[in-house]
Every structure is written in C-alpha cells, then in structure tokens.
Amino acid sequence: IAVSRDLLKMGLRHGTKVKINGLPGEYVVLDKMNKRWSKKIDIYMGTDIRKARLWGKKKVTIYW
C-alpha cells in the first residue's frame, strides 16, 4: 500500500505490516502518496482490475 504523509508521522513507516478491515491478509507499506492527500491509503491489488473496481473507494479501518 501507499500511505499519505500524515500517516507516516503516526507510525506507518516503510515496511510496516497493516491489516485492513474487510480485506483478507496483511499488506505492507511500500510507498508514500503526494503531499496533497491526508488520512488516505492506496491499496495495490496487482493486475486484477476487476477486483480493484469492485472494491472501489471506501472508508476502512486499518490496524498495525
């Protein structure tokens, strides 16, 4: 996942493992987003475009 820069200050550093409510498994922070975003994450779902479109844009709870 990529995280907004304000979340970096909250402890979501590069390599941090994250659980996302509503999605199975763990995700890893590997990138940071542009400065214009706050309190956002971007989930990379591989080449499965259908899965990404079905997931869409949602508010989620994350745990690390």
Side-chain angles (χ1 to χ4, degrees):
I1 64 173
V3 297
S4 57
R5 292 168 192 255
D6 61 327
L7 296 178
L8 293 172
K9 296 172 188 171
M10 296 174 70
L12 278 173
R13 306 222 186 292
H14 185 84
T16 303
K17 292 182 181 178
V18 175
K19 288 192 177 211
I20 301 171
N21 219 15
L23 286 175
E26 288 185 333
Y27 292 78
V28 180
V29 177
L30 294 176
D31 201 4
K32 58 188 173 226
M33 298 169 75
N34 190 293
K35 295 174 188 173
R36 70 177 174 228
W37 300 110
S38 63
K39 295 186 180 165
K40 302 240 186 249
I41 64 170
D42 188 13
I43 305 167
Y44 176 68
M45 295 190 169
T47 58
D48 193 346
I49 295 169
R50 184 174 183 269
K51 181 181 174 185
R53 286 188 177 147
L54 284 173
W55 177 259
K57 182 179 176 182
K58 297 182 180 185
K59 286 188 177 187
V60 296
T61 303
I62 58 174
Y63 306 94
W64 68 93

